[in-house]
Amino acid sequence: MSGKKIALWDAESRRVYKRLLGYSARYWPVAIVAIISMAVDGGALAVFTNKLRPIIDQLFAQKDPYLIFWMPIWIILIFLVRGIATFFSSYGIAYIGRNVVQSMQRDVFAAYLRLPAAFFGSEHSGHQISRITYTSEQIAGASTDALKVTVTEGVTVLGMFYVMLSNSAYLTLALLVMIPAIILIAAVVSRRYRVISRRIQNMMGSVTGTVEETVEAHREVRIYGGQQHAASRFKQVTDRARYLNLKIAATNATSSSAIQTVASFALAGLIFLGSRPSVINSISPGVFVAVLTAMGAMLPSLKRLANVQSTMQSGISAAESLFELIDTPPEVDHGTQELERSKGDLRFENVRLVYPRGDFEALGGVNLHCAPGTVTALVGRSGSGKSSLVSLLPRFNEPTSGRILLDGADYTSYTLPSLRKQIAWVGQSVVLFDGTVAENIAYGELAGVSEQEIIAAAEAANAMEFIQRLPKGIHSHIGEGGNMLSGGQRQRIAIARAILKNAPILVLDEATSALDTESERLIQQALQHLMRDRTTLVIAHRLSTIEHADQIAVMDHGLIIERGTHAELMAQNGHYATLHRMQFNERPVVAVAN
Ligand code: ADP
Ligand code: MG
């Protein structure tokens, strides 16, 4: 076997491990104390073993009074030192480990905050959660526990080797049988761990994902009787996780017994060497016992050293996948211009959008101008590309070709944060955060505005009506995801948030879809007021709400197929007029849109 093949780690593992150690570098004073303690811990055992020869040869055989007095004291002292060292090495290493895990978790979380929107559609959120809860925990093992075992047991092995060598170099030759075999075992085992660890991590992502999905969809599961399906899916993923974990255990067990077997050859070799007629009389019982004990004491350390590879490798593959995520390029932001307050002049020029997933062309060349302070309504069948078009504005998606101009300049020339400051957004599904009503309305950069402003925004959004009835008004806690509010109430909070932001561009993507006609009419008034001096893009299902828009763009299959005011489009008697008639049931439908 070539030297390369039996190398314990490949270059990639070494690179990852180095980077991981970089995370602990900040704690170097603690690390030094811990490493010294580990060395003392391992060394003390060797020192004790080394005392065996005088105990046997001088204390018992010659009844040396000096040793009879001092030996018990030395033993207590040796173990006292060892006890202190164990504390500092264990606590020190845990201290570094927990800090490293936290730094990793923070880096991963920071990555979630800056990764492009497309990333979140590309994998199950279970994987995103388990990176924080499971994968980063694996790192504690590699960066610390494994290091502790390596240093402590490594020093023990070296110490015992020294004990053997200093007692009898001749008898130490017996070890030669063992060394190559142990290196081989460790190499085979470590490669195997690496492959399995990666798979376990992915499995944990799937386990988390399955749980998350089922908990989130608890209503659907009950109504559609999905319990059995959910349970069998959960069993399937946990079966796989258990199988992989047992594979690790089997590898550990195999390597332990293999090492033990190899060691029996070394012990047999020791007896064989010690009992040669030429040497049997020159070796004292003390020497023999000391060498034998030292070799025996090496054994558990060697086993632990071989098995520590599992912790090490799972940590390394964990770190590898986390570093991969941390290194993922953030949202593209080549903008240099800081946009103070946009005039709201918005122009789409031949904008195409092809979603990478499935190579689907959602927009096929859209041209649209939204003049400052005007309202543009987008209408069209579901799936016609309305949401896709507005999702380009905050650059959740980038146009595949074509340009978007804001105030006459390509909108990518503005920095991303300053571009997003120009946009208030109310979407189809409203996400509320765990916190009070006030915290939800004055969210993010809006935090810190006065209570009057929050109430004014809530009033404009027609939300005060139900907020007043909550036990603590705007300071009432609305649980995670705003579960205790109805869809319409949630939308009104989102509208209040948008009103409070007071941005020059307002996007309403079916923002009033969950409202009844009465509240919609009230909010429409508020929005009318809000829309006055800003550029608004409104997607609405109910055409009655957009009749007063400055222009109406009818979309179909990713294209704008009609554009004009309500009156113009009605006169044109095309798609819009047909849609309108369908909704108002004025006349039997003559021509179906498209
Ligand atoms: P609308 O808002 O008009 O109902 P959308 O803009 O949401 O339509 O969707 C337009 C088309 O793009 C649909 O056919 C939809 O399946 C597709 N689509 C939307 N989002 C994505 C995505 N993230 N990846 C791939 N296809 C998408
Ligand atoms: Mg939509």
Side-chain angles (χ1 to χ4, degrees):
M1 202 172 275
S2 75
K4 213 173 190 173
K5 264 194 179 151
I6 61 161
L8 283 184
W9 292 9
D10 53 24
E12 176 65 13
S13 304
R14 278 196 294 274
R15 200 184 55 75
V16 171
Y17 198 66
K18 250 196 200 149
R19 185 165 169 195
L20 190 55
L21 283 182
Y23 273 78
S24 8
R26 285 179 46 201
Y27 310 100
W28 64 268
V30 185
I32 287 175
V33 173
I35 287 175
I36 291 175
S37 307
M38 292 172 205
V40 170
D41 188 358
L45 197 61
V47 171
F48 170 72
T49 313
N50 212 17
K51 291 278 175 237
L52 283 174
R53 176 162 63 154
I55 289 176
I56 290 167
D57 289 350
Q58 289 158 26
L59 196 147
F60 285 109
Q62 296 162 19
K63 315 223 168 8
D64 181 340
Y66 175 80
L67 280 181
I68 287 174
F69 179 77
W70 281 108
M71 193 53 88
I73 296 174
W74 282 341
I75 289 175
I76 289 173
L77 281 179
I78 290 171
F79 279 84
L80 194 64
V81 167
R82 202 175 166 214
I84 294 170
T86 307
F87 173 83
F88 280 108
S89 63
S90 299
Y91 185 74
I93 213 75
Y95 179 86
I96 298 173
R98 293 328 302 173
N99 276 291
V100 169
V101 168
Q102 193 196 5
S103 319
M104 285 299 264
Q105 286 172 329
R106 279 170 55 179
D107 283 359
V108 171
F109 195 76
Y112 290 159
L113 294 179
R114 66 175 157 68
L115 284 174
F119 165 81
F120 295 94
S122 66
E123 64 171 12
H124 200 294
S125 58
H127 288 273
Q128 286 148 20
I129 294 169
S130 88
R131 274 201 201 96
I132 303 254
T133 56
Y134 176 80
T135 312
S136 53
E137 283 296 328
Q138 301 302 299
I139 286 167
S143 62
T144 55
D145 301 351
L147 189 68
K148 179 173 180 240
V149 172
T150 310
V151 176
T152 313
E153 309 302 344
V155 170
T156 307
V157 168
L158 288 180
M160 295 305 169
F161 183 66
Y162 172 78
V163 171
M164 293 172 74
L165 209 57
S166 67
N167 278 289
S168 165
Y170 168 73
L171 289 179
T172 310
L173 283 177
L175 273 185
L176 287 181
V177 193
M178 223 157 81
I179 290 167
I182 284 181
I183 293 180
L184 188 68
I185 292 171
V188 170
V189 160
S190 96
R191 183 145 350 129
R192 204 172 145 74
Y193 284 138
R194 210 169 136 67
V195 179
I196 304 175
S197 302
R198 224 338 138 70
R199 285 198 220 141
I200 292 186
Q201 275 162 37
N202 287 334
M203 250 8 258
M204 289 315 289
S206 306
V207 171
T208 314
T210 311
V211 175
E212 203 203 356
E213 201 175 274
T214 311
V215 170
E216 225 162 71
H218 63 102
R219 288 159 196 262
E220 282 79 359
V221 168
R222 278 160 185 77
I223 288 184
Y224 292 99
Q227 287 94 338
Q228 207 162 40
H229 173 75
S232 75
R233 226 177 90 75
F234 186 70
K235 182 174 182 309
Q236 206 181 327
V237 288
T238 49
D239 269 353
R240 182 102 187 109
R242 182 199 50 176
Y243 168 75
L244 290 171
N245 277 304
L246 283 178
K247 234 172 155 167
I248 293 257
T251 312
N252 270 347
T254 312
S255 91
S256 289
S257 49
I259 287 177
Q260 209 153 307
T261 312
V262 168
S264 72
F265 282 91
L267 288 171
L270 183 67
I271 311 272
F272 175 80
L273 289 176
S275 58
R276 288 310 85 208
S278 52
V279 293
I280 198 156
N281 289 323
S282 62
I283 293 175
S284 75
V287 167
F288 194 78
V289 169
V291 174
L292 190 71
T293 313
M295 194 183 260
M298 257 186 190
L299 202 63
S301 296
L302 284 174
K303 276 193 222 162
R304 260 174 247 148
L305 277 177
N307 288 349
V308 80
Q309 293 293 326
S310 68
T311 342
M312 206 74 138
Q313 292 298 340
S314 78
I316 288 176
S317 69
E320 201 173 3
S321 74
L322 296 188
F323 287 147
E324 208 173 280
L325 177 87
I326 291 170
D327 295 341
T328 309
E331 289 183 292
V332 188
D333 184 8
H334 296 309
T336 47
Q337 246 174 296
E338 287 289 337
L339 186 54
E340 213 27 71
R341 190 172 175 92
S342 161
K343 291 196 282 289
D345 185 82
L346 200 58
R347 193 183 285 278
F348 295 86
E349 273 185 3
N350 221 350
V351 170
R352 275 183 71 240
L353 172 66
V354 178
Y355 283 113
R357 242 212 292 188
D359 246 349
F360 182 80
E361 187 185 67
L363 298 173
V366 171
N367 288 292
L368 185 66
H369 179 225
C370 310
T374 62
V375 175
T376 301
L378 297 173
V379 302
R381 300 186 305 184
S382 84
S384 55
K386 307 176 298 289
S387 295
S388 300
L389 184 67
V390 292
S391 78
L392 297 173
L393 286 180
R395 292 178 62 193
F396 291 152
N397 292 305
E398 302 281 335
T400 311
S401 65
R403 305 198 294 167
I404 298 175
L405 303 171
L406 181 59
D407 297 354
D410 192 318
Y411 82 151
T412 55
S413 66
Y414 305 116
T415 64
L416 209 43
S418 84
L419 173 70
R420 288 179 178 164
K421 261 201 193 100
Q422 314 303 320
I423 303 167
W425 184 288
V426 185
Q428 266 162 295
S429 58
V430 175
V431 177
L432 296 180
F433 300 91
D434 199 20
T436 64
V437 172
E439 284 163 359
N440 266 285
I441 294 177
Y443 175 71
E445 291 182 328
L446 299 172
V449 301
S450 73
E451 207 168 300
Q452 284 96 316
E453 283 175 278
I454 296 176
I455 292 176
E459 252 154 18
N462 197 24
M464 259 340 259
E465 167 257 323
F466 75 86
I467 294 174
Q468 262 163 1
R469 281 186 279 117
L470 294 174
K472 289 189 201 154
I474 61 165
H475 298 298
S476 310
H477 201 88
I478 42 175
E480 201 177 313
N483 267 337
M484 48 179 277
L485 297 182
S486 78
Q489 291 171 331
R490 271 188 297 208
Q491 276 193 330
R492 280 181 274 175
I493 290 199
I495 291 169
R497 194 190 283 160
I499 291 173
L500 190 63
K501 182 162 181 183
N502 187 25
I505 297 171
L506 175 65
V507 177
L508 303 167
D509 186 352
E510 311 207 358
T512 52
S513 57
L515 301 184
D516 54 84
T517 325
E518 171 63 12
S519 355
E520 186 173 18
R521 199 179 53 77
L522 284 169
I523 288 184
Q524 218 60 48
Q525 291 167 357
L527 289 178
Q528 225 78 55
H529 173 74
L530 181 68
M531 288 171 187
R532 202 164 293 156
D533 41 355
R534 59 197 90 223
T535 307
T536 306
L537 276 158
V538 51
I539 300 173
H541 204 62
R542 254 171 278 180
L543 298 184
S544 60
T545 59
I546 49 115
E547 278 176 8
H548 303 293
D550 297 288
Q551 60 173 346
I552 298 168
V554 184
M555 292 193 68
D556 195 42
H557 285 108
L559 287 171
I560 292 179
I561 49 169
E562 268 177 24
R563 193 170 55 81
T565 62
H566 172 73
E568 285 165 2
L569 292 178
M570 287 307 280
Q572 211 174 308
N573 202 17
H575 291 79
Y576 178 78
T578 313
L579 278 173
H580 198 269
R581 271 196 299 273
M582 281 183 351
Q583 278 197 6
F584 288 90
N585 239 345
E586 280 174 356
R587 235 183 279 163
V589 180
V590 189
V592 175
N594 188 28

